[in-house]
Amino acid sequence: MKLITTAAEMEAEWAAMKGRVGLVPTMGALHEGHLSLVRRARRDAEHLVVSVFVNPTQFGPQEDFAAYPRDPDRDLLLLEAEGVDVVFAPTAEEIYPPGFDQWVEVRGLLTERLEGEFRPGHLRGVTTVVARLFCIIRPQRAYFGEKDAQQLRVVRRMVEEQRLPVEVIGLPTVREPDGLAMSSRNAYLSAEERKAALVLPRALELARRMVEDEGVRDAAAVRRAVEELIRREPRACIDYVAVADYETLEELAEIDRPALLLLAVRIGATRLIDNAALTPRSP
Ligand code: AMP
C-alpha cells in the first residue's frame, strides 16, 4: 500500500495505473461503516484509492474541526488489511493552495434545507472537496454512505451538473448491534450520552412501523410522533425531523412514494444524523 500526500504524486500514480480506479473519500477515524465502503470498492476496482482528509471547508467556525477525531496510524493499518492500493492523505494546503477560489456548489432546494439550513457552507465544502479529489484522483467510481443521505444526493447532483465522468455508488448504513449508526463522532459520547443516542434508531424504527406496518401516510403525524419520542429523552435536542421524497429530499405532506425520514439530533454537545427509508404500502 502506498501513502501519497501530494496532488503531483497522486497524478503520477494515476498515470501508471491501468484499469478501473475506485475511490472511497473519508475523513479518517475509520470504523466499520467506512470499511464496508472499502470492501465493496475493493471488489469492483482494479486500483483502490482511499482518501483520508479532514476537510476544513465543510466545518463551520463554531464546529468541531480542531477536535475531530484523528488516528492516522490506526487508519493506515486498517486500510492495509483491506488490501487498499493507495491512501491519499493530503495536507490542507495541497487541496486548497493559497488564493484558492474554485468553489463547487449545488444550488437550489436540495442544498437549502436540512444540513444546508443548520450547517451553512457545509455542503459547499463537501462538493468542493469531492470535486477536487475527483480531479486529482480521477476515479471511475466513488463510494458514499447512505448515512449521509443528503451529502450522497448532493454529490450525485454535482457530478451531473459538472458532467464529471464518475459513477457515484451509495451504500447502506452500518450500525452498532444496538442500532446506533456508526460515526466517527460517536467517540465524543459519554456512557450516558451513548445510551441516550439510541433515541435516534428508535425514532427511525417508530416511523418505519407507522408507515410500513400501520399504513400511515400523513407525514405530519409521523413527524409529530417522532418528535414526541425524541423529546422524551432529556439529553436530546432536535435540529430537524423531516419526512422527504427519497430522491429529491423535498418535504412531503403525504407519504405516497418512497420517502426518507431524516434526523439531526444533538446529544449533549454531539450532533448526530441518521435516516431511514420509508416505503408506503400500496393502497
Ligand atoms: P466521513 O469520514 O464521516 O466523511 O465518512 C466517509 C464516508 O463514509 C461517507 O460517504 C459516509 O457517508 C460513509 N459512512 C459514514 N458512516 C457510515 C456508516 N455508519 N455506514 C456506512 N457508511 C458510512
Side-chain angles (χ1 to χ4, degrees):
M1 188 173 78
K2 277 195 186 156
L3 172 61
I4 292 181
T5 56
T6 67
E9 272 176 278
M10 188 63 236
E11 281 156 5
E13 183 69 22
W14 180 86
M17 288 174 178
K18 290 183 185 66
R20 271 197 319 279
V21 177
L23 170 66
V24 179
T26 82
M27 299 206 297
L30 301 178
H31 51 64
E32 280 296 314
H34 298 115
L35 297 181
S36 73
L37 308 186
V38 170
R39 286 176 197 136
R40 163 64 193 277
R42 181 65 288 176
R43 289 205 301 276
D44 287 359
E46 279 141 281
H47 300 279
L48 173 53
V49 182
V50 175
S51 60
V52 177
F53 179 60
V54 185
N55 174 33
T57 65
Q58 70 188 71
F59 290 80
Q62 310 301 323
E63 293 183 1
D64 57 342
F65 174 69
Y68 194 82
R70 289 165 172 87
D71 196 345
D73 295 340
R74 179 173 173 274
D75 290 346
L76 290 178
L77 287 174
L78 290 170
L79 295 174
E80 174 113 61
E82 299 297 336
V84 170
D85 299 303
V86 173
V87 175
F88 181 55
T91 59
E93 293 70 39
E94 203 54 42
I95 297 294
Y96 302 111
F100 172 84
D101 196 21
Q102 302 251 297
W103 297 97
V104 178
E105 188 168 12
V106 168
R107 291 173 189 270
L109 259 183
L110 188 57
T111 53
E112 282 162 8
R113 299 180 54 238
L114 309 166
E115 295 302 286
E117 181 182 342
F118 283 86
R119 302 184 69 189
H122 166 69
L123 291 167
R124 181 179 83 145
V126 169
T127 43
T128 298
V129 77
V130 170
R132 284 191 84 66
L133 291 170
F134 284 1
C135 186
I136 296 166
I137 300 166
R138 285 178 267 180
Q140 273 83 36
R141 284 189 179 169
Y143 301 79
F144 293 83
E146 270 289 350
K147 156 82 169 36
D148 299 282
Q150 189 177 18
Q151 165 176 290
L152 169 60
R153 285 153 183 77
V154 170
V155 167
R156 282 216 171 99
R157 179 76 59 81
M158 186 268 290
V159 162
E160 276 168 33
E161 289 180 354
Q162 306 289 326
R163 303 192 62 75
L164 304 178
V166 182
E167 185 184 352
V168 173
I169 315 263
L171 294 170
T173 301
V174 176
R175 296 177 180 282
E176 301 285 356
D178 61 8
L180 183 66
M182 290 197 180
S183 163
S184 306
R185 290 193 169 94
N186 292 350
Y188 296 145
L189 300 169
S190 68
E192 283 307 310
E193 289 169 343
R194 174 67 182 74
K195 274 185 220 149
L198 289 177
V199 75
L200 281 92
R202 284 198 198 112
L204 299 180
E205 176 53 22
L206 170 66
R208 197 205 55 74
R209 226 171 34 234
M210 287 177 77
V211 174
E212 299 188 359
D213 299 348
E214 294 162 24
V216 175
R217 284 174 157 245
D218 177 359
V222 174
R223 268 199 311 275
R224 261 196 317 274
V226 164
E227 284 168 3
E228 273 168 31
L229 179 121
I230 297 172
R231 290 209 178 98
R232 287 205 292 274
E233 168 49 61
R235 291 174 204 271
C237 185
I238 297 174
D239 268 2
Y240 59 76
V241 172
V243 177
D245 179 277
Y246 188 83
E247 294 296 341
T248 65
L249 300 187
E250 189 187 332
E251 193 70 24
L252 293 180
E254 194 184 357
I255 307 169
D256 55 359
R257 59 193 114 154
L260 267 187
L261 178 79
L262 300 114
L263 300 179
V265 177
R266 282 172 283 129
I267 305 287
T270 304
R271 186 173 183 279
L272 300 176
I273 61 170
D274 203 349
N275 67 83
L278 302 174
T279 311
R281 298 201 305 203
S282 36

